[in-house]
Every structure is written in C-alpha cells, then in structure tokens.
Amino acid sequence: MKFLTYNREKAVNYAVKWAYGRNLAYVDFENMGGDCTNFVSQCIYAGIGVMNYTKTFGWYYNSINDRSPAWSSAKYLNKFLLENKGAGPYGELISLNKIMLGDIIQLVNANGEIYHSLIVTKIYGEPSLFTIFVTAHSFDSKNRAFSSYNFASYNAIHILGARQW
C-alpha cells in the first residue's frame, strides 16, 4: 500500500476552472437531484488521482451507469471519506478553525440530513478571525462566502490523503 498526498492546489484550481461550467468527461447531475457532490468528487479526484472501485461502498466514476453512490451523493461521500480504510481519499471531521484549502464542507438540515457539498477555495485572515470561501455546483458559485449559506449545521472534512494499492 502506498500513501499519497492530497494536492490541494490542483483540487482548488479544478474547482475554480469548472465552477460555472461542466467537464464533459462527467455527467451533469443538475436535473437529477443536484450536481454538488459530483462536482466535489471531481475536485477531490483532481487533487488525489486515485479512485476506490469497490462496488457499492467505494468511490469511483466511469459513467452514469458505472459509479459508486459516494461519487454523487452527499451522505455517501461523507460516509466514504470518514470511514474509508481502502484505496482512495480519506479524511476526518474538523472544526472550521482548522479548515484548509481543498477541504470539504457539507451542509446539514434540521433533520440531520446532509444535503449539500462544497469545496473550500479561499481563506482570508487569521484562524480565529477568518473568512472561508467555497465553490460549488447546484446554485453554481465560485469563491462564495461560506457565511452566506443557510443551514442548521455542517460537517467540515479535512482530506488527509489517499491510499493506493
């Protein structure tokens, strides 16, 4: 097993490049429940370059009909990143004062359901008094202030790296 470093710059550059567009290598899920997690998965992949092809519980995309639930579902991406012990990216929950570029923030509604995925693309200021900016699809935005979103709570996931077999 080989441990890989997450290239945060590549992930952020991908996010900014495709914030208002769609990479034709991937299906656009905008009219199928939203494209936010598909987009975030693309960004993570741009920064890590390794997928996990485990059927059902992995994290991969080959086509609309050959992909894992974690690639395009916010709750399953959360589960994958936090529980993955195999190939592909993995992360941990953190507080916002530890957030870094390329990390993921997922919005949670009042019922505790994760419903939206964002990637951190800019941070201004010192850790105790900083502003986080995110980029997302489904209500496409580039470097939007995280504080401008309405949500009951959130999960901030720090991408630690990836494993490759």
Side-chain angles (χ1 to χ4, degrees):
M1 178 173 33
K2 181 178 178 183
F3 290 92
L4 304 173
T5 302
Y6 181 45
N7 188 322
R8 296 172 181 283
E9 184 178 352
K10 282 186 178 180
V12 168
N13 288 343
Y14 184 96
V16 170
K17 176 180 179 178
W18 293 103
Y20 297 119
R22 300 297 187 265
N23 182 339
L24 296 179
Y26 302 93
V27 169
D28 180 1
F29 289 84
E30 191 70 34
N31 296 316
M32 295 180 270
D35 197 55
C36 65
T37 303
N38 174 46
F39 174 67
V40 164
S41 285
Q42 292 173 44
C43 296
I44 295 169
Y45 182 67
I48 212 74
V50 176
M51 294 185 186
N52 178 318
Y53 290 96
T54 305
K55 293 289 181 193
T56 308
F57 301 109
W59 177 79
Y60 66 93
Y61 179 97
N62 291 317
S63 70
I64 183 74
N65 296 316
D66 186 13
R67 63 185 164 85
S68 66
W71 187 270
S72 55
S73 165
K75 72 177 182 179
Y76 292 120
L77 176 63
N78 178 282
K79 183 174 177 59
F80 178 80
L81 290 173
L82 297 178
E83 297 178 8
N84 179 29
K85 302 290 187 227
Y90 59 95
E92 65 182 358
L93 286 176
I94 57 168
S95 60
L96 283 182
N97 66 346
K98 295 182 179 179
I99 202 91
M100 294 175 67
L101 294 176
D103 283 341
I104 308 307
I105 300 175
Q106 293 185 306
L107 306 184
V108 181
N109 67 22
N111 296 326
E113 298 164 343
I114 300 167
Y115 68 92
H116 196 40
S117 299
L118 316 159
I119 183 167
V120 177
T121 50
K122 280 193 178 189
I123 302 171
Y124 287 124
E126 297 299 316
S128 60
L129 297 168
F130 61 85
T131 303
I132 298 168
F133 294 89
V134 294
T135 297
H137 276 186
S138 297
F139 307 113
D140 295 1
S141 59
K142 179 167 67 173
N143 296 324
R144 176 179 169 180
F146 175 61
S147 62
S148 71
Y149 284 87
N150 291 316
F151 51 88
S153 64
Y154 64 87
N155 292 321
I157 301 174
H158 176 64
I159 305 295
L160 293 165
R163 296 177 196 89
Q164 184 177 32
W165 299 109

